[in-house]
């Protein structure tokens, strides 16, 4: 590895290379005979692997030895004689098999071979074997063509017999005729199979002669079948024995596992290796292996250079221990060879054979032996060629004349041991390691928290290396050191496969080389850690390896640390781990503290210089030389580069901030941050000056990006230099960029909403049209898109992390206004589309529109005579319901957004920084008027049926349309209950025009009324109610309230929520209006009359002309009749609810049902009493019987809408809290007053009115609205519509800023309605009493006087609060 980069960074010391490039060598111990070649290493590895195969334990098998065969007499001399019976048949057709027989026979034969044949006699393995031999010949195309042409059975029989004879003769000795009986039996089974095919297809009936001959042939063939059944096997008679025999060696590579390993390591095919084995098989024998051991033992006894000597060890005790273990292993290995090849004992004198020596197995002898080798030989006994693990006496084995020793040490006297075992072992080890690391099929080890996944030696390579080490008598420590030396060489040479993970894995691998035997595990660990037992060569080589690795790792560490400021520097963790765990912690390595200190100093200086160079490169790269070319982008890029680098370094070295005593982050930030702070200040100020001088605007995104970078740098700057202020007022300089972005967003919000709606098909989001959508799939994409846009614009400001709370709160307030505008746009557009879909003409209406006036009159008369009501179920579009789901989804998303923005906290911040009221500058205020079009009464009839289809249009004095209500069909006393918001800066005249809707042609004007909206009249922000007389006939009721539009985040969210809920209510009302006609039809007085009179009679008709005549008493209807009267309505509800349930969400479904329940209550209320007014009503009071029916209907409908499951008892419909509304309680209380006398009702009304007046007198300081302002529109029924104006601002925008406040306000409204009863229901009953006309007018005037007095008190109070009796012109702020 090059050290040029290290020298260039100013390191004072020089990392020296290894002093010796070669391995430490010892005098005369295994001298190297030149360089080891690839072929030499391959041949020596191959011969050891082959020897392992020769010496492996032989497998055995059980073999049957038959008794001498006995002659068998057959019924005929050959099959040809048996087939002569077929030639005697005169009719050749009867002997031929039919057409199609061949394919059926082939299918049956296939079933036999596949084991699907039901007949048990065909399941025998020998039968399947003979049938398979015949099947191969049977399926040949030439044979099949010939057979299909001739169709002779005897040809099939002879071909089967021929193939069966050949198959059964295999493996039989000469003279064994037992197979002949087996051939007859198998042929008989084949003939039987032919007969079965003929019978199964009813071919035997047409060929009786052929079937008879086949049966005769089968019986002849089975004449000797009893002989077969008496034998224990299918291969001979019952006499005979079984013996175990040794399976002979095949000498094929496929049976030699270690030979295959050698082939793979050296890149050879099995064929090439087989050729080498065949070539050297006469030389590589067990005898040659035994001779090698004898020669090795002789050299060992002679203290020759060809074995280890005492000079190779540090201490004589270590040599003696090794020598004893070596003698033991040699005895084991010789005895294993002789046991594998007993014939070798014949060529060796008995006195020279190794013998069992019980004395050597004593504990005393065991302590002095070399236990590692003993344990390893025993450990490898199962997978190697050595099967003996007994102490053997080698004292009697002489190598005198049997193993002559050459006097020339340079000659290799061994067959299996190479001339330089260490060199050959090292070469083969390197080849095996390279192969295993590149072997994709070798699985890596499982990664752990301490070690990554690595690949080392495979199990096969480990077995081969163990065989080589044992056969070549290489010291165990030498194997360990040599393997580490290979890895050291490969790592320093920077080969791709040898990484730090590989180096670490090898250190762990060699440290874990302990035998599996527990009794020797401690001894092996002692050998690895006790360096006194190592040979001198291994100790020197190991020290050189550690020194070389330490030097290489330190160079790598310095080079890596010089790259620590780069985007993706190498990881120093593995280097530090290897240095500490495997180098510094090793007792064989000695480190110098002075060298380490010098390294740390040089590294710190190098990092500082690198940081300075890095910043200069950033400056040159991102900032041009010309000042006129400077832009925010350049400062941003420079800051981004510096900040990103500092953050990366901090995160990168968070756990280990110091490397060899050096902190990379400190060296970086101390260098670049002061430089950047100065440069950024000068550049930004210069850019702003140039932009101001040229009149150009810096792009908004550049300002945002600049702010983000400057804030990040300021944070890091404060951490590093906490006492030095950052020299740049960031928020004050860049706030204008945020305001510009908000203004651009506000101008684009409507277009975003329009595009989202344009691309939406308003369908449920299911993959399959037949799939039932889930709750999350029942809204369409447009509402998701717009709220995705809302979240993006909010997140855009949030992500700035603006470090000024007041400015941030103001930003959020402006964005809340933008969101409110987008929601208002979405609601308006979606509601227009919804209304258009719901107002479409039905087919009957389109047909009626095309009729002439005369045809319309004739149809009306006909329908009247037939008592027919034109009520058809409305066909809802699924898209309409999806729009309602969208509004409900939008309300929940807005509520979620309101919580995420933390609206209350923003409002609190602004309020805390607000100036006192006296110091605030006066500005033009906007006022929000909320006009609720409640109802109208006594309208002019404009249609031929004597009714009208009224709707209201609100416009200003400039004829600009402000709002339009829905259409209420066939009604002269309609109720709309629809609201609209109107924003104005001063007084505004509005005109309410009531129109009659016509399907075709122009709509008719029913009447007009006007009202002036003056903010000065609503200074208390309390609601007013106005009865406006139309210029034609009738009057209309408007409820008006006002709020000052404020630049307040809570106000904007409340306004958006109210827009959504109002749209939701209007759309729900439109849906229920389509169903209300049938509700009115079923819950009508005519239905009551039909129940009580049970049909149309003369008295019933006369009642139409004399309504004041009391009804005649009739028999009360039964419970079933009352229930049946509502069944059409229930069926109508079920049909429509089923349609709605397919698309509407559960929340929207309950909302629609709730609205329908309200419509039911209004209808029932209309049956009982007329609307509230100061005029008498022509409506007739119900009888007791009719009243009972109505209340039973109410209970049935209550249970229907509550929808309690009979099995579970769970309510699936409208909740009880909604069903038991204030109107429901008002209706139920009618029973107490309905039949009381007029005088009693008047007294009760006066008592309740007095109590109400007393409560209002106690709250006089909260009253509003002088009578003069309400006159003349306030006259008449204004007092009857609830007494004095309510002091509660239930419709305030501030109470609608989220779903929680809206729910709370609704609950309080219901509680107030129940806690503050009034006499409205009594007054409505009195309208049906003509004698109470005067009292109704007196009560109206009384209420007007009370309201005027209360309003006068409010005016006086406001004047006094303004000071000096002067009326204030500014509306109070909340």
């Amino acid at each position: 590895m090059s050290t040029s980069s290290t020298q260039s960074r100013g390191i004072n010391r020089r990392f020296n290379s290894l002093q010796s490039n070669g391995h430490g060598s010892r005098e005369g111990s295994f001298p190297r005979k030149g360089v080891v070649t690839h072929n030499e290493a391959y041949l020596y590895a191959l011969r050891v692997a082959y020897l392992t195969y020769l010496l492996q334990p032989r497998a055995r098998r059980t073999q049957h030895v038959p008794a001498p065969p006995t002659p068998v007499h057959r019924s005929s001399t050959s099959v040809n004689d048996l087939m002569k019976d077929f030639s005697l048949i005169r009719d050749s057709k009867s002997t031929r098999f039919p057409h199609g027989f061949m394919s059926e026979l082939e299918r049956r034969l296939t079933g036999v071979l596949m084991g699907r044949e039901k007949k048990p006699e065909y399941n025998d393995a020998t039968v399947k074997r003979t049938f398979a031999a015949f099947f191969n010949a049977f399926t040949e195309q030439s044979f099949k063509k010939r057979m299909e042409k001739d169709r002779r059975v005897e040809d099939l029989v002879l071909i089967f017999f021929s193939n069966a004879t050949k198959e059964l003769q295999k493996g039989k000795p000469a003279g064994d005729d037992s197979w002949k009986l087996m051939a007859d039996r198998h042929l008989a089974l084949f003939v039987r199979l032919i007969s079965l095919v003929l019978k199964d297809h009813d071919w035997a009936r047409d060929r009786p002669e052929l079937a008879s001959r086949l049966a005769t042939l089968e019986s002849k063939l089975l004449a000797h079948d009893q002989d077969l059944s008496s034998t224990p096997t299918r291969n001979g008679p019952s006499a005979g024995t079984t013996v175990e025999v040794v399976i002979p060696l095949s000498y094929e590579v496929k049976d030699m596992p270690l030979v295959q390993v050698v082939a793979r390591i050296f890149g050879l095919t099995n064929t090439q290796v087989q050729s080498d084995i065949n070539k050297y098989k006469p030389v590589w024998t067990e005898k040659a292996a035994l001779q090698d051991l004898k020669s090795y033992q002789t050299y060992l006894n002679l203290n020759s250079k060809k074995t280890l000597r005492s000079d190779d060890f540090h201490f004589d005790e270590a040599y003696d221990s090794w020598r004893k273990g070596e003698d033991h292993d040699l005895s084991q290995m010789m005895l294993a060879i002789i046991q594998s090849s007993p014939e070798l004992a014949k060529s060796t004198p008995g006195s020279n054979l190794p013998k069992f020596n019980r004395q050597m197995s004593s504990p005393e002898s065991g302590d002095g032996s070399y236990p590692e080798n003993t344990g390893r030989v025993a450990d490898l006994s199962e997978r190697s060629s050595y099967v003996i693990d007994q102490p053997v006496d080698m004292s009697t084995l002489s190598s005198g004349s049997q193993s002559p020793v050459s006097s020339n040490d340079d000659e290799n006297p061994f067959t299996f041991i190479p001339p330089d075992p260490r060199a050959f072992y090292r070469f083969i080890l390197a080849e095996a390691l390279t192969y295993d690391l590149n072997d994709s099929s070798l699985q890596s080890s499982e990664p752990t928290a301490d070690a990554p996944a690595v690949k080392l030696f495979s199990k096969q390579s480990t077995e081969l290396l163990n065989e080589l080490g044992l056969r070549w008598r290489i010291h165990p420590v030498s194997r360990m050191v040599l393997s580490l030396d290979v890895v050291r060489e490969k790592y320093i040479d920077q080969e791709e496969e040898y990484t730090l993970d590989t180096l670490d894995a090898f250190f762990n691998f060699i440290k874990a080389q302990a035998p599996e035997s527990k009794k020797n595990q401690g001894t092996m660990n002692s050998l690895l850690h006790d360096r006194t037992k190592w040979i001198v060569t291994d100790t020197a080589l190991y020290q050189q390896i550690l020194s070389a690795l330490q030097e290489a790792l330190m160079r790598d560490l310095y080079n890596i640390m010089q790259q620590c400021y780069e985007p993706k520097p190498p990881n120093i963790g593995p280097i530090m781990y290897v240095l500490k765990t495997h180098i510094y912690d090793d007792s064989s390595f000695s480190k110098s503290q002075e060298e380490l200190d010098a390294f740390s100093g040089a590294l710190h200086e190098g990092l500082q210089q690198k940081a300075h160079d890095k910043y200069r490169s950033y400056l040159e790269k991102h900032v041009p030389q010309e000042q006129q070319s400077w832009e925010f982008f350049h400062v941003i890029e420079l800051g981004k580069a510096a900040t990103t680098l500092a953050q990366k370094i901090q995160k990168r070295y968070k756990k280990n901030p110091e490397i060899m005593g050096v902190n990379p982050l400190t060296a970086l930030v101390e260098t670049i941050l002061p430089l950047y702070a100065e440069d950024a200040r000068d550049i930004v100020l210069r850019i702003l000056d140039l932009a101001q001088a040229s009149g150009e605007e810096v792009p908004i995104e550049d300002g945002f990006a600049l702010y983000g970078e400057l804030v990040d740098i300021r944070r890091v700057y404060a951490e590093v230099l906490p006492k030095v202020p950052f020299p740049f007022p960031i928020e004050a300089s860049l706030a204008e960029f945020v305001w510009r972005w908000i203004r651009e967003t506000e101008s684009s919000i409507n277009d975003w909403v329009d595009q989202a709606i344009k691309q939406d098909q308003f369908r449920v989001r299911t993959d399959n049209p037949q799939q039932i959508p889930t709750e999350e799939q029942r809204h369409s994409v447009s509402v998701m898109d717009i709220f995705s846009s809302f979240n993006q614009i909010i997140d855009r400001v949030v992500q700035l992390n603006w470090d000024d709370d007041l400015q941030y709160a103001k930003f959020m307030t402006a964005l809340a206004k933008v969101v409110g505008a987008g929601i208002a746009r979405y609601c308006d557009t979606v509601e227009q589309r919804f209304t258009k879909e719901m107002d479409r003409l039905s087919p009957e209406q389109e047909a009626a529109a095309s009729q002439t006036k005369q045809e319309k009159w004739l149809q009306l008369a006909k329908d009247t005579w037939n008592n027919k009501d034109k009520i058809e179920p409305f066909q809802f579009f699924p898209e309409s319901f999806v729009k309602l789901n969208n509004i409900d989804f939008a309300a929940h998303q807005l509520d979620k957004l309101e919580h995420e923005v933390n609206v209350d906290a923003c409002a609190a911040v602004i309020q805390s920084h607000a100036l006192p009221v006296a110091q605030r500058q006066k500005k033009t205020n906007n006022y929000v008027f909320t006009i609720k079009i409640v109802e109208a009464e006594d309208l002019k009839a404009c249609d031929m049926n004597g009714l009208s289809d009224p709707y209201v249009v609100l416009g200003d004095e400039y004829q600009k349309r402000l709002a339009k209500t829905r259409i209420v069909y066939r009604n002269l006393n309609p109720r709309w209950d629809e609201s609209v918001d109107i924003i104005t800066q001063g007084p505004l005249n509005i005109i309410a025009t009531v129109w009659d809707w016509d399907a075709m042609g122009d709509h008719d004007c029913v009447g007009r009324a006007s009202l002036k909206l003056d903010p000065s009249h609503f200074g208390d922000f309390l609601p007013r109610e106005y009865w406006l007389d139309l210029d034609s006939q009738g009057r209309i009721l408007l409820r008006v309230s006002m709020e000052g539009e404020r630049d307040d985040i809570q106000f904007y969210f409340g306004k958006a929520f109210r827009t959504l809920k109002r749209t939701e209510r209007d759309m729900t009302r439109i849906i229920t209006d389509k169903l209300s006609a049938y509700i009115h039809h079923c819950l009508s007085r005519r239905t009551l009359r039909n129940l009580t009179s049970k049909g149309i009679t003369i008295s019933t008709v006369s009642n139409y002309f004399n309504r004041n005549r009391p009804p005649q008493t009739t028999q009360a209807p039964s419970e079933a009749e009352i229930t049946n009267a509502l069944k059409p309505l229930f069926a109508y509800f079920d049909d429509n609810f089923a349609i709605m349930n397919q698309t509407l969400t559960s929340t929207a479904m309950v909302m629609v049902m709730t609205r329908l329940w309200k419509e039911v209550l209004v209808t029932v209320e209309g049956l009982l009493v007329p609307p509230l007014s100061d005029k008498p009503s022509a409506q007739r009071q119900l009888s007791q019987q009719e009243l009972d029916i109505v209340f039973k209907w109410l209970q049935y409908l209550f249970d229907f809408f509550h929808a309690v499951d009979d099995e579970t008892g769970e309510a699936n419909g409208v909740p009880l809290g909604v069903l038991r509304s204030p109107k429901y309680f008002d209706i139920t209380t009618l029973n107490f007053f309905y039949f009381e006398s007029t005088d009693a009702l008047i007294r009760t009304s006066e008592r309740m009115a007095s109590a109400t007046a007393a409560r209002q007198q106690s709250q006089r300081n909260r009253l509003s609205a002088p009578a003069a302002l309400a006159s003349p529109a306030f006259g008449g029924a204004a007092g009857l519509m609830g007494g004095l104006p309510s002091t509660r601002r239930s419709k305030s925008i501030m109470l609608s800023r989220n779903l929680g406040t809206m729910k709370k306000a609704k609950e309080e409204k219901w509680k107030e309605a129940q806690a503050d009863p009034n006499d409205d229901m009594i007054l409505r009953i009195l309208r049906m009493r003509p004698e109470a006309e005067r009292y109704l007018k007196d009560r109206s005037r009384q209420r007007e006087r009370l309201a005027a007095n209360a309003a006068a008190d409010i005016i006086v109070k406001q004047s006094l609060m303004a000071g000096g009796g002067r009326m204030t012109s500014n509306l109070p702020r909340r």
Side-chain angles (χ1 to χ4, degrees), residues 153 298 480 626 679 827 875 962 1021 1111 1120 1123 1129 1260 1334:
V153 176
T298 301
M480 174 193 72
E626 299 293 332
D679 292 342
C827 291
Q875 300 298 323
L962 302 176
F1021 300 102
T1123 305
L1129 181 60
R1260 183 65 60 86
R1334 183 173 180 180

Side-chain angles (χ1 to χ4, degrees), residues 927-945:
Y927 303 100
V928 181
F929 281 95
T930 301
I931 302 176
K932 183 174 184 179
I933 305 172
V934 183
E935 63 178 336
E937 66 176 23
D938 196 21
L939 296 180
K940 180 178 67 175
C942 298
D943 292 338
M944 294 180 293
N945 57 3

Side-chain angles (χ1 to χ4, degrees), residues 935-940 952 990-994 1005-1012 1025-1038 1173-1175 1270-1278 1340 1344:
E935 63 178 336
E937 66 176 23
D938 196 21
L939 296 180
K940 180 178 67 175
V952 180
I990 62 170
I991 300 174
T993 304
V994 182
C1005 179
V1006 178
R1008 293 183 178 86
S1010 62
L1011 176 66
K1012 182 179 182 180
E1025 290 180 347
Y1026 297 94
W1027 274 106
L1028 304 179
D1029 293 328
L1030 300 179
D1031 56 3
S1032 58
Q1033 175 183 332
R1035 54 184 180 174
I1036 184 172
L1037 175 62
L1038 302 182
S1173 177
D1174 58 347
K1175 299 178 181 179
S1271 180
F1274 192 81
S1340 176
E1344 289 175 6

Side-chain angles (χ1 to χ4, degrees), residues 183 226 261 267 292 334 361 401 535 653 680 700 715 923 1032 1062 1124 1166 1286 1306:
Q226 63 275 11
V261 175
D292 279 1
M334 288 181 184
S361 64
S401 59
I535 60 177
Y653 300 100
I700 295 176
R715 175 179 53 80
K923 61 179 182 179
S1032 58
R1062 183 174 293 166
N1124 291 336
S1286 174
K1306 188 173 183 179

Side-chain angles (χ1 to χ4, degrees), residues 129-143:
R129 183 159 57 89
T130 55
F131 271 61
F134 166 71
F135 189 77
N136 293 333
F138 179 80
T139 55
E140 293 181 0
Q141 294 298 325
S142 59
F143 176 77

Side-chain angles (χ1 to χ4, degrees), residues 699-761:
I700 295 176
E701 290 301 323
D702 289 352
F704 285 176
L706 176 62
Y707 178 80
E709 295 304 323
L710 290 177
V711 168
D712 290 340
I713 293 174
R714 182 175 60 184
R715 175 179 53 80
V716 179
Y717 185 95
E719 294 176 358
V720 178
L721 304 172
K723 297 182 180 180
V724 180
F726 195 74
F728 197 76
I730 304 176
E731 283 74 22
S733 302
L734 302 180
E736 181 58 27
F737 289 95
V738 182
W739 289 118
R740 284 172 52 197
W741 180 80
I742 293 176
R743 289 192 293 269
E744 291 184 2
T745 303
E746 185 176 10
S747 63
S748 304
I749 192 68
N750 287 340
D751 184 60
W752 295 353
V753 173
D754 294 341
Q755 291 298 323
I757 296 175
K758 183 178 180 181
Q759 298 175 9
D760 193 3
Q761 296 181 351

Side-chain angles (χ1 to χ4, degrees), residues 40 86 125 199 233 247 309 345 418 423 451 597 678 700 759 781 866 905 1040 1044 1049 1185 1213 1246 1258 1283 1319 1326:
E40 289 176 342
F86 286 88
K199 291 179 181 179
T233 65
I247 300 176
R309 300 180 296 175
D597 293 339
E678 297 174 2
I700 295 176
Q759 298 175 9
V781 296
N866 294 329
V1040 183
I1049 188 171
Q1185 186 181 53
E1246 289 177 344
S1258 64
D1319 59 343
L1326 290 175

